[in-house]
Amino acid sequence: MSGNFSFSFSGDDIEDEGGSSSAAPIVSTSVSPQAAAASAFPVPGKPLLPATSHDLHQMLAQLPSKIAYGILDIDLDGSRKTQLPRRELWDVRVQLMAEDEGADSEPGLGNHDVKTGVYEGGFKSWESSVDLVKVLSLSKDFLTNTDVTPRIIELGCGTALPSLALFQWSLTLRANDKDSTLSIVLADYNPTVLQLVTLPNFILCWALNQRAELPVLEDAFSSEGELDLTPEVLKAFEEFLVARQISLSFFSGAWSPEFIDLISSNKTSKIGKGSNQQTIILGAETIYSPFALASFTQTIFSLMEQEKAQGHAAEALVGAKKLYFGVGGSLDDFVAKAREMGANVEELREETEGVRRGVVRCSLP
């Protein structure tokens, strides 16, 4: 299987909740219908990226001295808004050029949204990730239940808007409970996505939230739309996570049995005590083809079965387009596959304007 895909955005990121394109996705090259392998995004003759965990401290040490950012305003269906910071794509390009790697050599910064088996769309924010934020906003009060340890696992996270929203809300909802814990697992096929956009977005979210509390942050926002990542700022970020018992874990590579074992065996992401852990698996635009759909479905089922075996509550929230034209994936196919495998599936949201999309909840009986 090989191919480059452009899903509505023509290489551009969404600018705001109303700015995402409603045009039908287009396939820029044909895809050969070959049998899916056990891992995600198979490409004949090309090895898949292996499942890998990434140390937060080492990732922080590799960040640039400054990042530029914008704010994404998400209208929560007219009731209120939430604002999420994101590193600017042009700033990523500038960093790569300064490091002599060249933005053109990074697949995700070209004209294609997906290069199968090479880059899976993580630099850009997708419409269904915004849909997931809206769904999560209706049930975010679970973060106030200090008897439960939330464990968030976002697969194909990219800019990680859903996890970022939960992180932002938790900074307020759990601010007064010193004993509360929160675990966020962030996984993307490409390690460069985690390094260049996922982690910076979490630092931005924390810095904007804590700006008034820490003088070092006020100084770091010396320029409009930019944050200086001084050693003092990065140290404060790490100390904040430790003090608030928030775990950020990063994984890259193809969905596979090895990937599942790596997440399941990771001790850093299991910071809660007892059996009161609630795991929420998130996935936005992760089923764009039958190949991806099969691997994604198997991955979330394996994770939910492991959580259930340990006595933990677990569910998956999946946002996707109703149909990915010319590619073959669809939300309806995922629902049918999940029910065939014995899951309970409930539709939580449907978008009928523009490209039809939906969000469903999947859980084991």
Side-chain angles (χ1 to χ4, degrees):
M1 171 183 171
S2 63
N4 304 331
F5 308 109
S6 181
F7 297 142
S8 304
F9 303 118
S10 300
D12 296 326
D13 201 3
I14 59 173
E15 295 180 357
D16 54 45
E17 201 273 323
S20 53
S21 170
S22 60
I26 53 177
V27 182
S28 57
T29 60
S30 61
V31 180
S32 301
Q34 301 182 24
S39 301
F41 319 120
V43 180
K46 183 176 182 60
L48 293 166
L49 294 181
T52 307
S53 63
H54 302 274
D55 179 74
L56 175 60
H57 186 73
Q58 291 181 2
M59 292 177 70
L60 291 171
Q62 296 172 23
L63 290 170
S65 60
K66 179 182 294 186
I67 54 176
Y69 67 94
I71 301 295
L72 179 66
D73 290 313
I74 299 178
D75 184 353
L76 302 177
D77 295 328
S79 59
R80 58 196 183 284
K81 288 186 178 182
T82 192
Q83 295 184 316
L84 298 177
R86 298 179 302 169
R87 188 181 184 188
E88 297 281 14
L89 273 181
W90 63 260
D91 190 48
V92 176
R93 293 188 178 97
V94 169
Q95 178 184 343
L96 290 174
M97 287 187 290
E99 295 172 350
D100 294 327
E101 295 182 17
D104 292 339
S105 66
E106 187 60 50
L109 299 176
N111 293 324
H112 297 296
D113 292 327
V114 173
K115 285 192 174 183
T116 308
V118 179
Y119 162 73
E120 297 299 335
F123 282 120
K124 298 160 188 174
S125 297
W126 299 82
E127 294 166 304
S128 292
S129 64
V130 173
D131 298 336
L132 274 177
V133 171
K134 293 181 178 181
V135 167
L136 290 167
S137 72
L138 300 176
S139 58
K140 65 181 180 181
D141 286 347
F142 80 89
L143 293 168
T144 64
N145 185 355
T146 55
D147 293 329
V148 173
T149 298
R151 187 182 188 217
I152 312 302
I153 302 175
E154 185 169 356
L155 301 176
C157 63
T159 59
L161 297 185
S163 295
L164 200 64
L166 290 171
F167 176 70
Q168 183 184 84
W169 295 331
S170 74
L171 298 184
T172 301
L173 295 174
R174 301 170 79 90
N176 297 323
D177 193 326
K178 305 302 181 183
D179 296 324
S180 66
T181 58
L182 173 65
S183 171
I184 301 178
V185 175
L186 300 151
D188 195 276
Y189 183 75
N190 299 94
T192 51
V193 168
L194 298 173
Q195 180 67 47
L196 295 173
V197 295
T198 311
L199 176 57
N201 286 353
F202 275 84
I203 296 174
L204 286 166
C205 189
W206 159 78
L208 289 167
N209 180 273
Q210 296 293 305
R211 181 175 183 173
E213 307 295 327
L214 297 174
V216 68
L217 288 176
E218 192 61 43
D219 295 338
F221 283 104
S222 56
S223 300
E224 185 68 25
E226 294 182 338
L227 174 65
D228 292 328
L229 299 180
T230 64
E232 292 77 17
V233 167
L234 299 181
K235 181 182 178 182
F237 177 66
E238 283 192 282
E239 291 176 344
F240 179 87
L241 295 179
V242 172
R244 293 287 290 269
Q245 298 190 76
I246 298 174
S247 163
L248 295 182
S249 304
F250 297 86
F251 300 90
S252 64
W255 298 325
S256 62
E258 294 78 16
F259 176 86
I260 295 166
D261 290 342
L262 190 62
I263 288 183
S264 301
S265 62
N266 182 259
K267 296 180 180 180
T268 304
S269 66
K270 298 180 179 180
I271 57 178
K273 298 180 179 179
S275 61
N276 292 328
Q277 178 175 294
Q278 179 181 358
T279 297
I280 301 176
I281 304 167
L282 304 172
E285 310 276 9
T286 50
I287 56 173
Y288 72 84
S289 74
F291 304 94
L293 188 152
S295 293
F296 175 76
T297 305
Q298 185 59 58
T299 298
I300 64 170
F301 265 76
S302 297
L303 291 172
M304 287 193 297
E305 287 168 353
Q306 289 183 0
E307 293 299 315
K308 182 179 179 180
Q310 297 176 40
H312 300 154
E315 64 181 19
L317 300 181
V318 180
K321 292 179 175 62
K322 290 289 187 176
L323 178 64
Y324 293 87
F325 295 99
V327 188
S330 76
L331 184 59
D332 290 341
D333 286 345
F334 169 77
V335 170
K337 181 66 174 177
R339 285 175 172 161
E340 178 185 313
M341 295 175 68
N344 298 319
V345 183
E346 175 188 2
E347 185 174 65
L348 301 180
R349 183 180 182 88
E350 183 176 13
E351 294 286 347
T352 57
E353 295 184 5
V355 177
R356 294 182 63 219
R357 309 184 307 277
V359 176
V360 298
R361 174 190 287 121
C362 180
S363 60
L364 300 179

